[in-house]
């Protein structure tokens, strides 16, 4: 994966976290929506990025 793709994915994850996708129910709903539009692999990748960014944000 290129650096720019990784950066774009991190930005998308930060944006969605800022929009309130922080609960299990909200992330499940988002996963379903992304899976329908982009496929299962992309949905899993997005949620994994969101989890990683969330942990980094909480750590400071």
């Amino acid at each position: 994966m290129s650096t720019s793709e990784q950066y774009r994915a991190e930005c998308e994850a930060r944006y969605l976290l800022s929009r309130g996708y922080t609960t299990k129910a909200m992330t499940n709903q988002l996963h379903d929506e992304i899976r329908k539009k982009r496929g299962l692999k992309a949905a899993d990748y997005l949620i994994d990025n969101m989890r990683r960014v969330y942990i980094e944000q909480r750590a400071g």
Side-chain angles (χ1 to χ4, degrees):
M1 173 182 323
S2 70
T3 303
S4 61
E5 172 59 22
Q6 182 178 356
Y7 179 73
R8 186 210 57 79
E10 290 173 5
C11 288
E12 182 180 27
R14 281 192 299 273
Y15 171 75
L16 291 168
L17 289 169
S18 75
R19 302 286 294 166
Y21 289 96
T22 56
T23 65
K24 180 90 169 154
M26 294 284 290
T27 54
N28 286 341
Q29 177 186 0
L30 178 64
H31 187 273
D32 290 341
E33 291 173 14
I34 298 300
R35 182 183 46 79
K36 290 175 187 174
K37 292 179 183 177
R38 301 185 203 170
L40 180 60
K41 187 175 179 180
D44 289 343
Y45 180 70
L46 175 61
I47 299 301
D48 288 344
N49 270 324
M50 288 175 66
R51 287 184 179 128
R52 187 177 48 75
V53 168
Y54 182 80
I55 291 167
E56 288 173 1
Q57 287 177 346
R58 301 270 301 175

